[in-house]
Amino acid sequence: MTEQKTREPQYQVVLDAQRRAELGLMINYAWDDDPRRLAFTFARYKFIGKMLEGKDRVLEIGCGDGFVSRVVAQSVGSLMAVDFDPVFIEDAKRLATTEKWPISFGVHDILSGPPDGSFDAIYSMDVMEHIQPADEDTYLVNICRGLADQGVAIIGMPSLESQVYASEASKAGHVNCKTGPHLKAALAGHFHNVFLFSMNDEVVHTGYHKMAHYLIAMGVGPKR
């Protein structure tokens, strides 16, 4: 069969790369259910990548299928990504077929103990709202135990105010959504410095937290 050729040669790389990537389980569902949600997710990970740019050893807690982890991986020295659900880690490993963006995937429940090793930064998006309030301290303590002395943690979750608009499926798992001040206060008990950001759609900003659909808190310098 004759190899296809694009009419403009600079686009031949598009054919060379076709079918190299397959959507992960969670991303595939979002693409089918509400494609706009992908823009929001990618924007969050781009923000994390910019904040952690140049960090040598980085850990993601709650990576799901790991599809968007690559956005952070391209900005840091090395990335390990874990999730407590083996189904999604198996999917992540199955799709991680390119040596260009190496990511180490593994199963770990952060409530069972700290991660192995010491990391310059840890981020955990859309996880804390699934943690029962009684287990919240364990979650944050174990994150801190996995960080180097001057380590950085980034925690993201839907705001409490957003839940009136959330789908029934989302609300079923959201047992610990917070307001901006409450999220900042939770991290302040474990970090010397905490910075709070708001997010609406794909825009991260420092605007009024009560009007934010999503919250991102950055803790710097874990308390021992």
Side-chain angles (χ1 to χ4, degrees):
M1 181 181 294
T2 303
E3 182 183 0
Q4 285 182 292
K5 296 290 184 182
T6 58
R7 295 188 68 178
E8 293 185 70
Q10 69 270 27
Y11 295 126
Q12 188 64 30
V13 292
V14 176
L15 291 182
D16 295 339
Q18 68 177 329
R19 307 301 179 224
R20 185 177 296 166
E22 180 184 340
L23 294 180
L25 286 171
M26 300 188 79
I27 288 294
N28 180 73
Y29 173 73
W31 178 248
D32 182 67
D33 182 60
D34 182 4
R36 292 172 297 184
R37 197 156 72 237
L38 298 186
F40 311 155
T41 301
F42 274 91
R44 292 168 194 163
Y45 277 69
K46 179 191 174 186
F47 174 79
I48 294 168
K50 297 299 278 187
M51 292 295 99
L52 302 183
E53 193 165 17
K55 295 294 184 184
D56 186 30
R57 298 191 70 238
V58 177
L59 172 69
E60 177 179 2
I61 294 173
C63 65
D65 60 29
F67 190 84
V68 289
S69 301
R70 186 183 296 186
V71 177
V72 177
Q74 70 181 116
S75 297
V76 302
S78 65
L79 178 63
M80 177 178 290
V82 300
D83 198 280
F84 83 130
D85 194 329
V87 169
F88 294 116
I89 291 300
E90 289 175 11
D91 192 50
K93 289 181 176 180
R94 181 178 63 84
L95 298 178
T97 57
T98 174
E99 296 181 358
K100 184 178 180 181
W101 307 110
I103 301 172
S104 299
F105 290 104
V107 177
H108 181 72
D109 183 351
I110 191 63
L111 296 181
S112 69
D116 293 332
S118 178
F119 295 88
D120 301 309
I122 295 176
Y123 66 95
S124 185
M125 309 303 284
D126 298 291
V127 174
M128 191 172 178
E129 71 271 19
H130 295 269
I131 303 292
Q132 291 289 342
D135 296 323
E136 177 184 299
D137 197 60
T138 299
Y139 166 76
L140 292 171
V141 166
N142 285 338
I143 286 176
C144 288
R145 289 172 66 187
L147 284 170
D149 287 342
Q150 299 301 315
V152 178
I154 299 178
I155 310 293
M157 65 158 59
S159 67
L160 181 62
E161 291 86 353
S162 73
Q163 292 308 284
V164 66
Y165 306 107
S167 67
E168 291 304 316
S170 292
K171 287 189 286 189
H174 292 180
V175 297
N176 195 22
C177 287
K178 296 182 180 297
T179 65
H182 285 146
L183 177 58
K184 186 174 183 178
L187 268 68
H190 299 272
F191 293 90
H192 291 287
N193 299 284
V194 180
F195 306 93
L196 182 68
F197 300 88
S198 298
M199 189 171 186
N200 293 88
D201 290 351
E202 64 271 24
V203 179
V204 181
H205 55 88
T206 56
Y208 191 43
H209 63 87
K210 288 187 178 181
M211 296 182 70
H213 178 265
Y214 198 84
L215 301 168
I216 299 174
M218 181 185 302
V220 181
K223 295 178 180 179
R224 303 302 187 187

